[in-house]
Structures are given as structure tokens and as C-alpha cells.
Amino acid sequence: MRSKTFKIACASLVAAAAIGAGAYVVHRPDGATDHPPVAQSTTTTSVVPVTAAKVLQHDVPIVLEGLGTVTPINTATIRTQVQGTLDSVDFVEGKQVKRGDVLAKIDPRVYEAQVDQAEAALARDEASLKNARTNLARTQPLANRGFATQQLLDTQDSQVTQGEGTVALDKAALEAAQTQLSFATITAPFDGVTGIRRIDPGNIVHPTDTNGLVVLTQLQPIAVIFTLPSGEIPGVRQALASGDASVDVYDAQNKRKLDHGSLMLINNQVDSTSGTVQLKASFPNAGNTLWPGTFVNVHLTIAVRHDALTVPLTAVRQGPDGGFAYVVGANNVVSVRNVTTGQSRDGQVLIEQGLAANETVVTAGQYRLNPGTTVEIVPDDKKDQVQDATTASAGMLP
């Protein structure tokens, strides 16, 4: 009985195997072999979207940038030169004044009296001198005829000389008194803008007062003192000697241009602690956009590079061997080109070596590129399609 059951089971297994083999043959596409086909993989090269720009050839100004402080060319604390009661203040705080304008007046009576005294002394001594000259004129003919001694003649001549000296001394005293009187009227020494008034009328003022009456500051023209690395001195000196140095000054955010001026000088000593040197530039400041004490950004143009090559700053990447850029060639296939760069400003970088004019360089999407990758240059209005490394680093891109 057991033997019969075993034979039935074996027969069932053989039948199942035959049925399975027949089904495999039926479902093969060709039925030509007894072995299943090996799966074949296909690789499709994807096109990477990028943005690109041409290598431009044009004149490029060579600009050095530094931080500076607006400094008035002339500033003065207006003080009295004589002591007295302040009678009046004749300026308006914060307003423009011209050279010679009256700023304040001091009680002049004491100094007017000194002038009167000096005038009276001068008049007295001039009269004495006149008398001495008259006596000398009378004595001279008498001495010539022997009616007057030589001693008398010499005495008369000495009195005239003494009188002339006295009159000269009186004139000097009168000038000094008149000068003191003029100091009672305080005038502006140069064109400028007045600050906050520091004393009121009715107070006694002295030449030794620390604060003075007011601070007067010249605004037009005005200067900016700024610093540059000492290594830039040779280039700046050459530009200064040739007259090519020009200066533009921008606000603290380095966005808005405030004025255009010229370089005045390079300081005669380098700061050894910082390795920088101070420079001074002058600006007309016609619109009063520069205010003393303000921090500004200074752009000093020292030369113009003719027919220079520039690319957008984003086109140049940094690698182990320095800067490089992806150049789009025939059939939109990219290659890597090592580049040497110069100054970078306004979103453009100066190319010293490595690129040629009118070549096309990739400006965004470089992180997905390798030499030989095919790219699709998308227009600016579709640049959002270009994936950049910033979002990839955040885990947002494959």
C-alpha cells in the first residue's frame, strides 16, 4: 500500500514539472532557447539646465576701495580775543555764513577809550615835533652866519629826531588800540556753517574760554580721509602723478553715490600697527551730501584697463587648484577651464587668464556639472528652473 502511494506522488511531481516547462515555452517572446534572457540596462544622459553669460571685452576701471571719515578742510572754535561783555550774537545756529560776516559783538567802550587816548597822544607829540622842526629851521641859518653855536644846532636836531620817534611810537600805539577795538566785533574767518551757540548775550567773555562762542565748519569744499593697504602706494602715487586718480564716495551701505572728487595727497607715514596708509581727497559737496564725522566708503580709481575681459562673479568657482569656470562649447557640452582673476566689483570679476572674449560660461547650476555634461541654457525669465547648490545643501534637491 505504501509503495503504491509513493509511485502516485512521484508521478504528480513529474506532471507538474512538465506543465511548468510548457508554460514557460509558451510565454517566451521567441521560444528559441531553453534559457531565460539576460536583462539589458539602458542609460539615458539627462540635460542639465543652467544659466550662462558671454565673456565681455571692454574698458574696466581699476578701483581701490577703503573706509573713510568726512573731515572739514577748515574748522574753528570762534573765541573772543578781548575781554568784555557780550552785547549781541548776530548769527543763526546751523546757517551758512560768509567770510567777514559779523558773528557777535562785545561792549566796545573800553577799547574806544583806548583809541581816543592813543589819538590824543599822537596829536600832542605831532605838535611837539612840529615845534622842534620850526626851531631847527630857525637855528640853522644863524649857525651858518656864526650867530648860534654848533651845540645849540645839534640840540635842536636831536629834539626833532626824538620827536619823530615819539610820533612813530604813538602811531603804533594807535594801531594797537584800533586793533583791540576791532576785536570787539567778531567776524567769520572763512565760509562755513555755524554750530550750536555756546554762550548767551550778557555774559562776560574771555580769550581763555574753552568752549568759545560757536564752532564754524567749512562744508564746501570738504575732505575725506580714508585708508588703504600700504602695498597700494606705488599704484596710487603713479595715478596721482599722472592725474588719473579720481575718487567717488558712497554712503555707509556702499549703495548710494554721494559725490565725486579728486585725490589730494598720500600721508607721509604708514601705520606700522595696521600696515595701512591714510589718504586725503577733496569733494565740492555742492549738495551738502557729505557731513563732517560721517563714515563713508571711498572708491579710488587709479587706472583704466583697456579691452579687459569680465564675467559675472557667479561664473567663477574655487577648487583645490584655484579658480575655474565651466565653458559651454559645441553642442552645449561643457568643459572646465582654470582662470586667474583680478578685481571684482558690481557683480563682475576681471579675468586675467583662462578665457577669451565672447566665450560662454555657466553662471548658475554648476554643482551638477562635470566635464562633458550636456547643458541647456535657459533664459533669464526661466532661471528658476536652474537648481543651485544652496538648495541642494539644504536637502531639497537630489
Side-chain angles (χ1 to χ4, degrees), residues 277-316:
V277 63
Q278 286 187 322
L279 300 94
K280 189 175 184 179
S282 174
F283 300 87
N285 198 27
N288 287 337
T289 54
L290 299 178
W291 208 254
T294 306
F295 290 101
V296 292
N297 287 276
V298 180
H299 296 187
L300 171 61
T301 302
I302 60 173
V304 176
R305 185 80 62 83
H306 298 288
D307 297 327
L309 302 179
T310 61
V311 296
L313 188 60
T314 56
V316 179

PDB file of all heavy atoms in Angstrom, residues 277-316:
ATOM      1  N   VAL A 277      47.897 103.042   5.082  1.00  0.00           N
ATOM      2  CA  VAL A 277      48.306 104.429   4.927  1.00  0.00           C
ATOM      3  C   VAL A 277      47.058 105.284   4.731  1.00  0.00           C
ATOM      4  O   VAL A 277      46.073 104.844   4.138  1.00  0.00           O
ATOM      5  CB  VAL A 277      49.269 104.587   3.725  1.00  0.00           C
ATOM      6  CG1 VAL A 277      48.583 104.222   2.419  1.00  0.00           C
ATOM      7  CG2 VAL A 277      49.827 105.999   3.653  1.00  0.00           C
ATOM      8  N   GLN A 278      47.102 106.495   5.257  1.00  0.00           N
ATOM      9  CA  GLN A 278      45.977 107.415   5.116  1.00  0.00           C
ATOM     10  C   GLN A 278      46.117 108.231   3.839  1.00  0.00           C
ATOM     11  O   GLN A 278      47.222 108.615   3.443  1.00  0.00           O
ATOM     12  CB  GLN A 278      45.893 108.354   6.315  1.00  0.00           C
ATOM     13  CG  GLN A 278      45.379 107.707   7.585  1.00  0.00           C
ATOM     14  CD  GLN A 278      45.172 108.727   8.678  1.00  0.00           C
ATOM     15  OE1 GLN A 278      45.939 109.670   8.839  1.00  0.00           O
ATOM     16  NE2 GLN A 278      44.126 108.542   9.478  1.00  0.00           N
ATOM     17  N   LEU A 279      44.985 108.498   3.206  1.00  0.00           N
ATOM     18  CA  LEU A 279      44.920 109.352   2.024  1.00  0.00           C
ATOM     19  C   LEU A 279      43.830 110.392   2.248  1.00  0.00           C
ATOM     20  O   LEU A 279      42.880 110.170   3.010  1.00  0.00           O
ATOM     21  CB  LEU A 279      44.629 108.549   0.756  1.00  0.00           C
ATOM     22  CG  LEU A 279      45.637 107.460   0.387  1.00  0.00           C
ATOM     23  CD1 LEU A 279      45.207 106.111   0.954  1.00  0.00           C
ATOM     24  CD2 LEU A 279      45.807 107.356  -1.113  1.00  0.00           C
ATOM     25  N   LYS A 280      43.968 111.524   1.556  1.00  0.00           N
ATOM     26  CA  LYS A 280      43.005 112.610   1.713  1.00  0.00           C
ATOM     27  C   LYS A 280      42.505 113.030   0.342  1.00  0.00           C
ATOM     28  O   LYS A 280      43.294 113.254  -0.578  1.00  0.00           O
ATOM     29  CB  LYS A 280      43.658 113.794   2.421  1.00  0.00           C
ATOM     30  CG  LYS A 280      42.690 114.906   2.823  1.00  0.00           C
ATOM     31  CD  LYS A 280      43.412 115.965   3.630  1.00  0.00           C
ATOM     32  CE  LYS A 280      42.458 117.045   4.130  1.00  0.00           C
ATOM     33  NZ  LYS A 280      43.152 118.074   4.937  1.00  0.00           N
ATOM     34  N   ALA A 281      41.185 113.111   0.216  1.00  0.00           N
ATOM     35  CA  ALA A 281      40.555 113.509  -1.040  1.00  0.00           C
ATOM     36  C   ALA A 281      39.639 114.700  -0.784  1.00  0.00           C
ATOM     37  O   ALA A 281      39.092 114.864   0.310  1.00  0.00           O
ATOM     38  CB  ALA A 281      39.756 112.357  -1.641  1.00  0.00           C
ATOM     39  N   SER A 282      39.478 115.531  -1.816  1.00  0.00           N
ATOM     40  CA  SER A 282      38.649 116.724  -1.716  1.00  0.00           C
ATOM     41  C   SER A 282      37.409 116.570  -2.592  1.00  0.00           C
ATOM     42  O   SER A 282      37.489 116.027  -3.701  1.00  0.00           O
ATOM     43  CB  SER A 282      39.442 117.957  -2.151  1.00  0.00           C
ATOM     44  OG  SER A 282      38.613 119.107  -2.182  1.00  0.00           O
ATOM     45  N   PHE A 283      36.267 117.073  -2.090  1.00  0.00           N
ATOM     46  CA  PHE A 283      34.995 116.980  -2.801  1.00  0.00           C
ATOM     47  C   PHE A 283      34.296 118.341  -2.770  1.00  0.00           C
ATOM     48  O   PHE A 283      34.311 119.030  -1.743  1.00  0.00           O
ATOM     49  CB  PHE A 283      34.088 115.925  -2.170  1.00  0.00           C
ATOM     50  CG  PHE A 283      34.674 114.551  -2.176  1.00  0.00           C
ATOM     51  CD1 PHE A 283      35.497 114.124  -1.142  1.00  0.00           C
ATOM     52  CD2 PHE A 283      34.425 113.679  -3.223  1.00  0.00           C
ATOM     53  CE1 PHE A 283      36.048 112.857  -1.152  1.00  0.00           C
ATOM     54  CE2 PHE A 283      34.975 112.413  -3.240  1.00  0.00           C
ATOM     55  CZ  PHE A 283      35.789 112.004  -2.204  1.00  0.00           C
ATOM     56  N   PRO A 284      33.654 118.723  -3.878  1.00  0.00           N
ATOM     57  CA  PRO A 284      32.959 120.026  -3.889  1.00  0.00           C
ATOM     58  C   PRO A 284      31.778 120.080  -2.937  1.00  0.00           C
ATOM     59  O   PRO A 284      31.452 121.139  -2.407  1.00  0.00           O
ATOM     60  CB  PRO A 284      32.520 120.173  -5.348  1.00  0.00           C
ATOM     61  CG  PRO A 284      32.526 118.785  -5.912  1.00  0.00           C
ATOM     62  CD  PRO A 284      33.613 118.058  -5.195  1.00  0.00           C
ATOM     63  N   ASN A 285      31.098 118.949  -2.753  1.00  0.00           N
ATOM     64  CA  ASN A 285      29.990 118.861  -1.800  1.00  0.00           C
ATOM     65  C   ASN A 285      28.931 119.930  -2.065  1.00  0.00           C
ATOM     66  O   ASN A 285      28.420 120.585  -1.139  1.00  0.00           O
ATOM     67  CB  ASN A 285      30.510 118.983  -0.360  1.00  0.00           C
ATOM     68  CG  ASN A 285      29.509 118.484   0.670  1.00  0.00           C
ATOM     69  OD1 ASN A 285      28.686 117.627   0.388  1.00  0.00           O
ATOM     70  ND2 ASN A 285      29.597 119.009   1.871  1.00  0.00           N
ATOM     71  N   ALA A 286      28.589 120.098  -3.334  1.00  0.00           N
ATOM     72  CA  ALA A 286      27.643 121.150  -3.706  1.00  0.00           C
ATOM     73  C   ALA A 286      26.275 120.954  -3.062  1.00  0.00           C
ATOM     74  O   ALA A 286      25.594 121.923  -2.718  1.00  0.00           O
ATOM     75  CB  ALA A 286      27.497 121.209  -5.227  1.00  0.00           C
ATOM     76  N   GLY A 287      25.864 119.704  -2.902  1.00  0.00           N
ATOM     77  CA  GLY A 287      24.559 119.438  -2.300  1.00  0.00           C
ATOM     78  C   GLY A 287      24.607 119.156  -0.822  1.00  0.00           C
ATOM     79  O   GLY A 287      23.602 118.718  -0.233  1.00  0.00           O
ATOM     80  N   ASN A 288      25.766 119.380  -0.177  1.00  0.00           N
ATOM     81  CA  ASN A 288      25.943 119.108   1.251  1.00  0.00           C
ATOM     82  C   ASN A 288      25.567 117.671   1.612  1.00  0.00           C
ATOM     83  O   ASN A 288      25.012 117.400   2.681  1.00  0.00           O
ATOM     84  CB  ASN A 288      25.127 120.092   2.100  1.00  0.00           C
ATOM     85  CG  ASN A 288      25.721 121.484   2.104  1.00  0.00           C
ATOM     86  OD1 ASN A 288      26.912 121.673   1.851  1.00  0.00           O
ATOM     87  ND2 ASN A 288      24.892 122.480   2.371  1.00  0.00           N
ATOM     88  N   THR A 289      25.877 116.736   0.711  1.00  0.00           N
ATOM     89  CA  THR A 289      25.616 115.324   0.995  1.00  0.00           C
ATOM     90  C   THR A 289      26.666 114.725   1.925  1.00  0.00           C
ATOM     91  O   THR A 289      26.424 113.679   2.518  1.00  0.00           O
ATOM     92  CB  THR A 289      25.588 114.524  -0.312  1.00  0.00           C
ATOM     93  OG1 THR A 289      26.805 114.757  -1.044  1.00  0.00           O
ATOM     94  CG2 THR A 289      24.401 114.933  -1.170  1.00  0.00           C
ATOM     95  N   LEU A 290      27.808 115.375   2.039  1.00  0.00           N
ATOM     96  CA  LEU A 290      28.865 114.920   2.946  1.00  0.00           C
ATOM     97  C   LEU A 290      28.846 115.781   4.197  1.00  0.00           C
ATOM     98  O   LEU A 290      28.910 117.009   4.118  1.00  0.00           O
ATOM     99  CB  LEU A 290      30.229 115.007   2.258  1.00  0.00           C
ATOM    100  CG  LEU A 290      30.402 114.156   1.000  1.00  0.00           C
ATOM    101  CD1 LEU A 290      31.775 114.383   0.393  1.00  0.00           C
ATOM    102  CD2 LEU A 290      30.191 112.689   1.299  1.00  0.00           C
ATOM    103  N   TRP A 291      28.760 115.133   5.349  1.00  0.00           N
ATOM    104  CA  TRP A 291      28.657 115.850   6.605  1.00  0.00           C
ATOM    105  C   TRP A 291      29.826 115.445   7.501  1.00  0.00           C
ATOM    106  O   TRP A 291      30.152 114.274   7.597  1.00  0.00           O
ATOM    107  CB  TRP A 291      27.333 115.546   7.284  1.00  0.00           C
ATOM    108  CG  TRP A 291      26.842 116.656   8.162  1.00  0.00           C
ATOM    109  CD1 TRP A 291      26.846 116.700   9.524  1.00  0.00           C
ATOM    110  CD2 TRP A 291      26.289 117.903   7.729  1.00  0.00           C
ATOM    111  NE1 TRP A 291      26.325 117.894   9.974  1.00  0.00           N
ATOM    112  CE2 TRP A 291      25.976 118.653   8.889  1.00  0.00           C
ATOM    113  CE3 TRP A 291      26.030 118.477   6.477  1.00  0.00           C
ATOM    114  CZ2 TRP A 291      25.416 119.929   8.840  1.00  0.00           C
ATOM    115  CZ3 TRP A 291      25.483 119.739   6.431  1.00  0.00           C
ATOM    116  CH2 TRP A 291      25.179 120.457   7.600  1.00  0.00           C
ATOM    117  N   PRO A 292      30.470 116.399   8.143  1.00  0.00           N
ATOM    118  CA  PRO A 292      31.655 116.083   8.954  1.00  0.00           C
ATOM    119  C   PRO A 292      31.385 115.004   9.989  1.00  0.00           C
ATOM    120  O   PRO A 292      30.355 115.007  10.669  1.00  0.00           O
ATOM    121  CB  PRO A 292      31.978 117.422   9.624  1.00  0.00           C
ATOM    122  CG  PRO A 292      31.438 118.448   8.677  1.00  0.00           C
ATOM    123  CD  PRO A 292      30.197 117.841   8.090  1.00  0.00           C
ATOM    124  N   GLY A 293      32.337 114.063  10.078  1.00  0.00           N
ATOM    125  CA  GLY A 293      32.243 112.967  11.039  1.00  0.00           C
ATOM    126  C   GLY A 293      31.550 111.728  10.522  1.00  0.00           C
ATOM    127  O   GLY A 293      31.537 110.700  11.201  1.00  0.00           O
ATOM    128  N   THR A 294      30.966 111.773   9.319  1.00  0.00           N
ATOM    129  CA  THR A 294      30.247 110.629   8.770  1.00  0.00           C
ATOM    130  C   THR A 294      31.229 109.591   8.221  1.00  0.00           C
ATOM    131  O   THR A 294      32.232 109.936   7.602  1.00  0.00           O
ATOM    132  CB  THR A 294      29.307 111.084   7.639  1.00  0.00           C
ATOM    133  OG1 THR A 294      28.463 112.127   8.130  1.00  0.00           O
ATOM    134  CG2 THR A 294      28.459 109.928   7.141  1.00  0.00           C
ATOM    135  N   PHE A 295      30.914 108.300   8.440  1.00  0.00           N
ATOM    136  CA  PHE A 295      31.695 107.220   7.851  1.00  0.00           C
ATOM    137  C   PHE A 295      31.176 106.955   6.432  1.00  0.00           C
ATOM    138  O   PHE A 295      29.968 106.856   6.213  1.00  0.00           O
ATOM    139  CB  PHE A 295      31.586 105.951   8.696  1.00  0.00           C
ATOM    140  CG  PHE A 295      32.291 106.056  10.016  1.00  0.00           C
ATOM    141  CD1 PHE A 295      31.580 106.292  11.175  1.00  0.00           C
ATOM    142  CD2 PHE A 295      33.667 105.932  10.097  1.00  0.00           C
ATOM    143  CE1 PHE A 295      32.211 106.401  12.395  1.00  0.00           C
ATOM    144  CE2 PHE A 295      34.323 106.045  11.320  1.00  0.00           C
ATOM    145  CZ  PHE A 295      33.590 106.279  12.472  1.00  0.00           C
ATOM    146  N   VAL A 296      32.097 106.815   5.483  1.00  0.00           N
ATOM    147  CA  VAL A 296      31.734 106.622   4.089  1.00  0.00           C
ATOM    148  C   VAL A 296      32.638 105.561   3.471  1.00  0.00           C
ATOM    149  O   VAL A 296      33.671 105.187   4.030  1.00  0.00           O
ATOM    150  CB  VAL A 296      31.864 107.943   3.284  1.00  0.00           C
ATOM    151  CG1 VAL A 296      30.825 108.952   3.729  1.00  0.00           C
ATOM    152  CG2 VAL A 296      33.265 108.516   3.413  1.00  0.00           C
ATOM    153  N   ASN A 297      32.214 105.070   2.306  1.00  0.00           N
ATOM    154  CA  ASN A 297      33.017 104.151   1.507  1.00  0.00           C
ATOM    155  C   ASN A 297      33.619 104.923   0.337  1.00  0.00           C
ATOM    156  O   ASN A 297      32.906 105.645  -0.372  1.00  0.00           O
ATOM    157  CB  ASN A 297      32.157 102.995   0.987  1.00  0.00           C
ATOM    158  CG  ASN A 297      31.788 102.022   2.082  1.00  0.00           C
ATOM    159  OD1 ASN A 297      32.546 101.121   2.428  1.00  0.00           O
ATOM    160  ND2 ASN A 297      30.606 102.208   2.664  1.00  0.00           N
ATOM    161  N   VAL A 298      34.906 104.753   0.151  1.00  0.00           N
ATOM    162  CA  VAL A 298      35.633 105.504  -0.868  1.00  0.00           C
ATOM    163  C   VAL A 298      36.075 104.551  -1.970  1.00  0.00           C
ATOM    164  O   VAL A 298      36.634 103.484  -1.701  1.00  0.00           O
ATOM    165  CB  VAL A 298      36.856 106.214  -0.261  1.00  0.00           C
ATOM    166  CG1 VAL A 298      37.605 106.997  -1.333  1.00  0.00           C
ATOM    167  CG2 VAL A 298      36.424 107.147   0.867  1.00  0.00           C
ATOM    168  N   HIS A 299      35.805 104.933  -3.229  1.00  0.00           N
ATOM    169  CA  HIS A 299      36.246 104.182  -4.398  1.00  0.00           C
ATOM    170  C   HIS A 299      37.265 105.044  -5.148  1.00  0.00           C
ATOM    171  O   HIS A 299      36.913 106.069  -5.736  1.00  0.00           O
ATOM    172  CB  HIS A 299      35.063 103.847  -5.309  1.00  0.00           C
ATOM    173  CG  HIS A 299      34.057 102.953  -4.672  1.00  0.00           C
ATOM    174  ND1 HIS A 299      32.989 102.419  -5.368  1.00  0.00           N
ATOM    175  CD2 HIS A 299      33.944 102.481  -3.404  1.00  0.00           C
ATOM    176  CE1 HIS A 299      32.274 101.660  -4.550  1.00  0.00           C
ATOM    177  NE2 HIS A 299      32.831 101.701  -3.349  1.00  0.00           N
ATOM    178  N   LEU A 300      38.521 104.616  -5.106  1.00  0.00           N
ATOM    179  CA  LEU A 300      39.607 105.360  -5.743  1.00  0.00           C
ATOM    180  C   LEU A 300      39.978 104.682  -7.061  1.00  0.00           C
ATOM    181  O   LEU A 300      40.444 103.544  -7.071  1.00  0.00           O
ATOM    182  CB  LEU A 300      40.825 105.416  -4.816  1.00  0.00           C
ATOM    183  CG  LEU A 300      42.117 105.974  -5.406  1.00  0.00           C
ATOM    184  CD1 LEU A 300      41.924 107.421  -5.856  1.00  0.00           C
ATOM    185  CD2 LEU A 300      43.253 105.879  -4.402  1.00  0.00           C
ATOM    186  N   THR A 301      39.765 105.366  -8.168  1.00  0.00           N
ATOM    187  CA  THR A 301      40.124 104.852  -9.488  1.00  0.00           C
ATOM    188  C   THR A 301      41.552 105.271  -9.802  1.00  0.00           C
ATOM    189  O   THR A 301      41.859 106.465  -9.845  1.00  0.00           O
ATOM    190  CB  THR A 301      39.171 105.392 -10.563  1.00  0.00           C
ATOM    191  OG1 THR A 301      37.823 105.019 -10.228  1.00  0.00           O
ATOM    192  CG2 THR A 301      39.518 104.826 -11.928  1.00  0.00           C
ATOM    193  N   ILE A 302      42.431 104.279 -10.024  1.00  0.00           N
ATOM    194  CA  ILE A 302      43.843 104.589 -10.268  1.00  0.00           C
ATOM    195  C   ILE A 302      44.257 104.312 -11.705  1.00  0.00           C
ATOM    196  O   ILE A 302      45.343 104.731 -12.123  1.00  0.00           O
ATOM    197  CB  ILE A 302      44.755 103.801  -9.311  1.00  0.00           C
ATOM    198  CG1 ILE A 302      44.572 102.287  -9.490  1.00  0.00           C
ATOM    199  CG2 ILE A 302      44.483 104.197  -7.868  1.00  0.00           C
ATOM    200  CD1 ILE A 302      45.563 101.457  -8.702  1.00  0.00           C
ATOM    201  N   ALA A 303      43.434 103.601 -12.485  1.00  0.00           N
ATOM    202  CA  ALA A 303      43.784 103.300 -13.876  1.00  0.00           C
ATOM    203  C   ALA A 303      42.549 102.770 -14.578  1.00  0.00           C
ATOM    204  O   ALA A 303      41.525 102.467 -13.952  1.00  0.00           O
ATOM    205  CB  ALA A 303      44.924 102.293 -13.959  1.00  0.00           C
ATOM    206  N   VAL A 304      42.646 102.643 -15.904  1.00  0.00           N
ATOM    207  CA  VAL A 304      41.606 102.038 -16.717  1.00  0.00           C
ATOM    208  C   VAL A 304      42.258 100.944 -17.565  1.00  0.00           C
ATOM    209  O   VAL A 304      43.186 101.223 -18.326  1.00  0.00           O
ATOM    210  CB  VAL A 304      40.902 103.074 -17.616  1.00  0.00           C
ATOM    211  CG1 VAL A 304      39.893 102.380 -18.527  1.00  0.00           C
ATOM    212  CG2 VAL A 304      40.197 104.128 -16.772  1.00  0.00           C
ATOM    213  N   ARG A 305      41.791  99.714 -17.401  1.00  0.00           N
ATOM    214  CA  ARG A 305      42.311  98.582 -18.176  1.00  0.00           C
ATOM    215  C   ARG A 305      41.520  98.494 -19.482  1.00  0.00           C
ATOM    216  O   ARG A 305      40.327  98.205 -19.465  1.00  0.00           O
ATOM    217  CB  ARG A 305      42.172  97.293 -17.376  1.00  0.00           C
ATOM    218  CG  ARG A 305      42.778  96.062 -18.036  1.00  0.00           C
ATOM    219  CD  ARG A 305      44.265  96.005 -17.847  1.00  0.00           C
ATOM    220  NE  ARG A 305      44.611  95.922 -16.435  1.00  0.00           N
ATOM    221  CZ  ARG A 305      44.610  94.767 -15.742  1.00  0.00           C
ATOM    222  NH1 ARG A 305      44.271  93.632 -16.332  1.00  0.00           N
ATOM    223  NH2 ARG A 305      44.962  94.773 -14.469  1.00  0.00           N
ATOM    224  N   HIS A 306      42.171  98.740 -20.594  1.00  0.00           N
ATOM    225  CA  HIS A 306      41.504  98.739 -21.891  1.00  0.00           C
ATOM    226  C   HIS A 306      41.371  97.308 -22.420  1.00  0.00           C
ATOM    227  O   HIS A 306      42.276  96.478 -22.270  1.00  0.00           O
ATOM    228  CB  HIS A 306      42.265  99.603 -22.889  1.00  0.00           C
ATOM    229  CG  HIS A 306      42.352 101.049 -22.491  1.00  0.00           C
ATOM    230  ND1 HIS A 306      41.267 101.899 -22.541  1.00  0.00           N
ATOM    231  CD2 HIS A 306      43.392 101.781 -22.012  1.00  0.00           C
ATOM    232  CE1 HIS A 306      41.634 103.096 -22.130  1.00  0.00           C
ATOM    233  NE2 HIS A 306      42.916 103.061 -21.806  1.00  0.00           N
ATOM    234  N   ASP A 307      40.210  97.033 -23.056  1.00  0.00           N
ATOM    235  CA  ASP A 307      39.921  95.723 -23.668  1.00  0.00           C
ATOM    236  C   ASP A 307      40.100  94.581 -22.669  1.00  0.00           C
ATOM    237  O   ASP A 307      40.617  93.510 -22.997  1.00  0.00           O
ATOM    238  CB  ASP A 307      40.815  95.484 -24.889  1.00  0.00           C
ATOM    239  CG  ASP A 307      40.559  96.498 -25.990  1.00  0.00           C
ATOM    240  OD1 ASP A 307      39.400  96.938 -26.129  1.00  0.00           O
ATOM    241  OD2 ASP A 307      41.513  96.858 -26.708  1.00  0.00           O
ATOM    242  N   ALA A 308      39.670  94.792 -21.461  1.00  0.00           N
ATOM    243  CA  ALA A 308      39.755  93.753 -20.433  1.00  0.00           C
ATOM    244  C   ALA A 308      38.561  92.814 -20.544  1.00  0.00           C
ATOM    245  O   ALA A 308      37.521  93.144 -21.133  1.00  0.00           O
ATOM    246  CB  ALA A 308      39.807  94.397 -19.054  1.00  0.00           C
ATOM    247  N   LEU A 309      38.710  91.616 -19.963  1.00  0.00           N
ATOM    248  CA  LEU A 309      37.666  90.596 -20.001  1.00  0.00           C
ATOM    249  C   LEU A 309      37.005  90.495 -18.631  1.00  0.00           C
ATOM    250  O   LEU A 309      37.692  90.461 -17.603  1.00  0.00           O
ATOM    251  CB  LEU A 309      38.250  89.235 -20.384  1.00  0.00           C
ATOM    252  CG  LEU A 309      38.990  89.167 -21.723  1.00  0.00           C
ATOM    253  CD1 LEU A 309      39.531  87.761 -21.945  1.00  0.00           C
ATOM    254  CD2 LEU A 309      38.080  89.567 -22.873  1.00  0.00           C
ATOM    255  N   THR A 310      35.675  90.438 -18.626  1.00  0.00           N
ATOM    256  CA  THR A 310      34.942  90.279 -17.377  1.00  0.00           C
ATOM    257  C   THR A 310      33.835  89.247 -17.548  1.00  0.00           C
ATOM    258  O   THR A 310      33.306  89.067 -18.654  1.00  0.00           O
ATOM    259  CB  THR A 310      34.310  91.607 -16.911  1.00  0.00           C
ATOM    260  OG1 THR A 310      33.386  92.072 -17.905  1.00  0.00           O
ATOM    261  CG2 THR A 310      35.369  92.663 -16.662  1.00  0.00           C
ATOM    262  N   VAL A 311      33.498  88.580 -16.457  1.00  0.00           N
ATOM    263  CA  VAL A 311      32.372  87.647 -16.412  1.00  0.00           C
ATOM    264  C   VAL A 311      31.613  87.905 -15.117  1.00  0.00           C
ATOM    265  O   VAL A 311      32.152  88.502 -14.180  1.00  0.00           O
ATOM    266  CB  VAL A 311      32.844  86.180 -16.457  1.00  0.00           C
ATOM    267  CG1 VAL A 311      33.547  85.875 -17.768  1.00  0.00           C
ATOM    268  CG2 VAL A 311      33.737  85.856 -15.270  1.00  0.00           C
ATOM    269  N   PRO A 312      30.358  87.459 -15.036  1.00  0.00           N
ATOM    270  CA  PRO A 312      29.653  87.578 -13.759  1.00  0.00           C
ATOM    271  C   PRO A 312      30.403  86.865 -12.644  1.00  0.00           C
ATOM    272  O   PRO A 312      31.051  85.836 -12.861  1.00  0.00           O
ATOM    273  CB  PRO A 312      28.297  86.927 -14.043  1.00  0.00           C
ATOM    274  CG  PRO A 312      28.115  87.090 -15.511  1.00  0.00           C
ATOM    275  CD  PRO A 312      29.478  86.949 -16.111  1.00  0.00           C
ATOM    276  N   LEU A 313      30.322  87.409 -11.460  1.00  0.00           N
ATOM    277  CA  LEU A 313      31.053  86.861 -10.325  1.00  0.00           C
ATOM    278  C   LEU A 313      30.681  85.417 -10.044  1.00  0.00           C
ATOM    279  O   LEU A 313      31.516  84.611  -9.624  1.00  0.00           O
ATOM    280  CB  LEU A 313      30.786  87.732  -9.090  1.00  0.00           C
ATOM    281  CG  LEU A 313      31.606  87.455  -7.842  1.00  0.00           C
ATOM    282  CD1 LEU A 313      33.089  87.641  -8.121  1.00  0.00           C
ATOM    283  CD2 LEU A 313      31.167  88.379  -6.712  1.00  0.00           C
ATOM    284  N   THR A 314      29.420  85.036 -10.309  1.00  0.00           N
ATOM    285  CA  THR A 314      28.971  83.669 -10.024  1.00  0.00           C
ATOM    286  C   THR A 314      29.527  82.651 -11.010  1.00  0.00           C
ATOM    287  O   THR A 314      29.386  81.446 -10.793  1.00  0.00           O
ATOM    288  CB  THR A 314      27.440  83.608 -10.060  1.00  0.00           C
ATOM    289  OG1 THR A 314      26.973  84.096 -11.336  1.00  0.00           O
ATOM    290  CG2 THR A 314      26.845  84.445  -8.944  1.00  0.00           C
ATOM    291  N   ALA A 315      30.166  83.103 -12.090  1.00  0.00           N
ATOM    292  CA  ALA A 315      30.704  82.164 -13.075  1.00  0.00           C
ATOM    293  C   ALA A 315      32.000  81.522 -12.602  1.00  0.00           C
ATOM    294  O   ALA A 315      32.384  80.458 -13.105  1.00  0.00           O
ATOM    295  CB  ALA A 315      30.936  82.876 -14.407  1.00  0.00           C
ATOM    296  N   VAL A 316      32.689  82.153 -11.675  1.00  0.00           N
ATOM    297  CA  VAL A 316      33.988  81.654 -11.208  1.00  0.00           C
ATOM    298  C   VAL A 316      33.792  80.894  -9.906  1.00  0.00           C
ATOM    299  O   VAL A 316      33.219  81.413  -8.948  1.00  0.00           O
ATOM    300  CB  VAL A 316      34.982  82.810 -11.017  1.00  0.00           C
ATOM    301  CG1 VAL A 316      36.312  82.277 -10.499  1.00  0.00           C
ATOM    302  CG2 VAL A 316      35.186  83.542 -12.330  1.00  0.00           C
TER     303      VAL A 316
END
